[in-house]
Amino acid sequence: MWVIGHRGAAGTAPENTLLSITNALNCGVDWIEIDVRMIDNSIIVVHEESLDRTTNGSRSAYGYGLAKLRTLDSGNGEKIPLLTEVLSLIDAKAGINIEIKQHGFIQEILKLARVFTKHQPDWRNRIMFSSFIPEVMSDLKELDLSGCVVGSLSKDTAEDPIRLATDLGAYSVNISFEHLSESLVEGAHKNGLKVLVYTVNDPVAIERCIELSVDGIFTDFPERTIATYRARS
Ligand code: G3P
Ligand code: MG
């Protein structure tokens, strides 16, 4: 079962920062998940539009220019990283799940991803795009992802997650722990889809994921999660 560092290792360092990602890499995670938006023609790594929760800035990130945004403190002196810095840091030592939090810049992300897959073949099939935004997912369906993959992200079960993922030609169903079920895992596996579950920090929930043979879990505490998994197997 893959351990996927959620926002890096968000339980151990300011989320979505280079420190958080370094912590996740040091634990030996299989993948790292981050959230991206585009500001001032640059792809930055930040979860929500408002800067209040994660930085010493305030209100909307879109009200800042890139230079000013990069002076903000995300905690422990960490800055909001650029996607290119994150890809360079990871250097294909783990896969990356880029969760796209805004519609309208998929071509820019793909262009950047292709630079990395071209120069570092180990990135092939280890850059995964996902999004809760249906328009982003439709764009992904239409594009040549050349060596990148899609995680079909579902927030609720209003739509059949397996059908949705199959329609998209996705690599995985990325589903919340609350919506995990034995039948979903079986159905996904029958359809050649991996099942990646977010966000799993509690040991009982980790056990449940292992029992159901899910393929990966997103966790804020990769070190603890890897230890629980190793103790079990
Ligand atoms: O992609 C899994 C998970 O990160 C989705 O939720 O809000 O943490 O980005 P969120
Ligand atoms: Mg996310």
Side-chain angles (χ1 to χ4, degrees):
M1 186 178 76
W2 286 328
V3 173
I4 306 163
H6 184 236
R7 308 181 195 175
T12 70
E15 68 179 49
N16 282 322
T17 62
L18 296 184
L19 178 62
S20 183
I21 291 158
T22 301
N23 285 358
L25 286 173
N26 288 343
C27 298
V29 294
D30 303 284
W31 290 78
I32 290 173
E33 185 263 1
I34 54 155
D35 307 288
V36 297
R37 296 174 179 273
M38 184 151 178
I39 290 188
D40 247 7
N41 296 320
S42 293
I43 303 164
I44 61 157
V45 183
V46 71
H47 184 267
E48 67 255 17
E49 176 179 348
S50 168
L51 296 166
D52 293 87
R53 184 181 63 82
T54 56
T55 72
N56 60 348
S58 61
R59 299 183 292 277
S60 171
Y62 298 101
Y64 285 67
L66 181 66
K68 189 146 177 247
L69 203 63
R70 299 266 286 166
T71 64
L72 298 178
D73 186 355
S74 300
N76 295 8
E78 288 295 303
K79 302 201 177 317
I80 294 174
L82 300 170
L83 176 59
T84 184
E85 293 175 318
V86 169
L87 286 161
S88 298
L89 174 64
I90 299 177
D91 193 27
K93 291 184 194 81
I96 186 168
N97 174 202
I98 301 172
E99 190 195 334
I100 303 165
K101 292 288 192 187
Q102 170 199 335
H103 181 231
F105 69 112
I106 189 65
Q107 292 286 11
E108 285 82 354
I109 298 184
L110 261 177
K111 197 169 151 196
L112 180 61
R114 282 193 193 113
V115 171
F116 281 82
T117 49
K118 188 172 168 208
H119 294 292
Q120 169 61 286
D122 287 351
W123 273 122
R124 275 194 80 79
N125 296 323
R126 297 180 83 208
I127 298 180
M128 177 192 294
F129 301 114
S130 62
S131 184
F132 286 121
I133 304 167
E135 291 84 356
V136 173
M137 297 311 282
S138 328
D139 287 353
L140 286 169
K141 189 178 169 181
E142 301 307 321
L143 291 166
D144 169 15
L145 300 184
S146 45
C148 301
V149 297
V150 169
S152 180
L153 192 53
S154 308
K155 203 162 219 164
D156 53 49
T157 48
E159 189 158 0
D160 178 352
I162 296 169
R163 206 185 60 221
L164 191 66
T166 308
D167 286 352
L168 284 167
Y171 175 77
S172 60
V173 176
N174 298 9
I175 194 143
S176 71
F177 180 74
E178 289 69 33
H179 293 124
L180 179 66
S181 68
E182 198 170 353
S183 60
L184 179 119
V185 177
E186 279 175 14
H189 287 169
K190 265 185 205 147
N191 283 277
L193 295 159
K194 295 199 181 295
V195 178
L196 310 179
V197 185
Y198 63 87
T199 302
V200 187
N201 295 323
D202 168 47
V204 176
I206 296 169
E207 283 287 334
R208 175 81 177 139
C209 289
I210 296 169
E211 265 167 30
L212 291 184
S213 301
V214 310
D215 301 284
I217 56 176
F218 296 83
T219 179
D220 296 318
F221 298 93
E223 189 171 10
R224 211 165 76 186
T225 302
I226 289 169
T228 305
Y229 181 52
R230 286 203 183 129
R232 174 65 149 56
S233 36

